[in-house]
Amino acid sequence: RKGLAPATRCRVIAYDFGIKHNILRLLAEHGCEIQVVPAETTGAEVLALRPDGVFLSNGPGDPAAVEEVLETLRGLIGRLPIFGICLGHQLLALALGATTWKLPFGHRGANQPVRDLETGRVEITSQNHGFCVDEGSLESCDCVVTHRHLNDGTVAGFRHGHLPLFAVQYH
């Protein structure tokens, strides 16, 4: 019924790299029971919580500068479904073995056009980042590009070829 929260469908651990409250609200509206944990939470601590999946949040900065988080993610890959947005997208790609590079000007603002390559639909997204996942390195990690930024052709989303992992570069 309208106004009632949906039944919980899954338990999600959300890594906080600078998470926005609205993202948590949207996950809850879709039936997720969310437990937010700090960036330094270990993989063993996450596994002990027995979640159905892991969410990697947005946040600022150079994704390659957080090596401890990358090691944690490498230990979770293949053990739990993982999805990420923005910085979480970049961190998941790096943990898989892909590389990132600094955009000359970054993607900033609420009118960033992205094509979903699987449906052909164009989405107008909100983005705020200065780094991008290298497409060639991503493909060598058994990943498929699922979304493309239409202004410059960069990777805006990917999924793994056989593991339950996916991410998008936007909010």
Side-chain angles (χ1 to χ4, degrees):
R1 291 187 311 207
K2 189 173 181 176
L4 295 178
T8 299
R9 288 183 253 178
C10 58
R11 294 182 56 243
V12 175
I13 297 298
Y15 270 94
D16 183 358
F17 304 123
I19 199 165
K20 294 183 178 184
H21 177 76
N22 190 50
I23 292 173
L24 297 173
R25 183 185 62 78
L26 291 170
L27 288 169
E29 282 181 6
H30 284 86
C32 295
E33 176 187 322
I34 307 144
Q35 182 172 348
V36 179
V37 297
E40 54 275 356
T41 303
T42 68
E45 291 170 320
V46 167
L47 292 170
L49 296 170
R50 302 185 57 163
D52 297 309
V54 174
F55 171 69
L56 308 175
S57 82
N58 55 300
D62 181 350
V66 286
E67 188 59 39
E68 289 178 10
V69 171
L70 298 178
E71 286 304 315
T72 296
L73 294 178
R74 289 179 187 119
L76 293 173
I77 290 172
R79 300 182 79 178
L80 289 168
I82 303 174
F83 62 108
I85 62 167
C86 208
L87 179 64
H89 160 92
Q90 298 163 11
L91 292 172
L92 184 56
L94 287 170
L96 288 165
T99 58
T100 57
W101 52 277
K102 187 165 177 42
L103 290 161
F105 302 105
H107 295 153
R108 315 272 182 221
N111 291 310
Q112 303 291 322
V114 169
R115 180 177 309 276
D116 180 329
L117 300 177
E118 295 176 350
T119 67
R121 293 184 62 183
V122 173
E123 303 165 349
I124 302 302
T125 68
S126 176
Q127 299 187 21
N128 187 21
H129 60 95
F131 291 84
C132 186
V133 175
D134 177 72
E135 186 168 351
S137 71
L138 190 64
E139 291 172 352
S140 70
C141 299
D142 195 21
C143 291
V144 176
V145 174
T146 59
H147 295 77
R148 186 167 308 284
H149 195 288
L150 292 179
N151 287 344
D152 61 10
T154 55
V155 174
F158 70 89
R159 65 177 167 76
H160 195 271
H162 63 278
L163 295 172
L165 309 171
F166 69 94
V168 293
Q169 182 59 77
Y170 50 90
H171 299 207

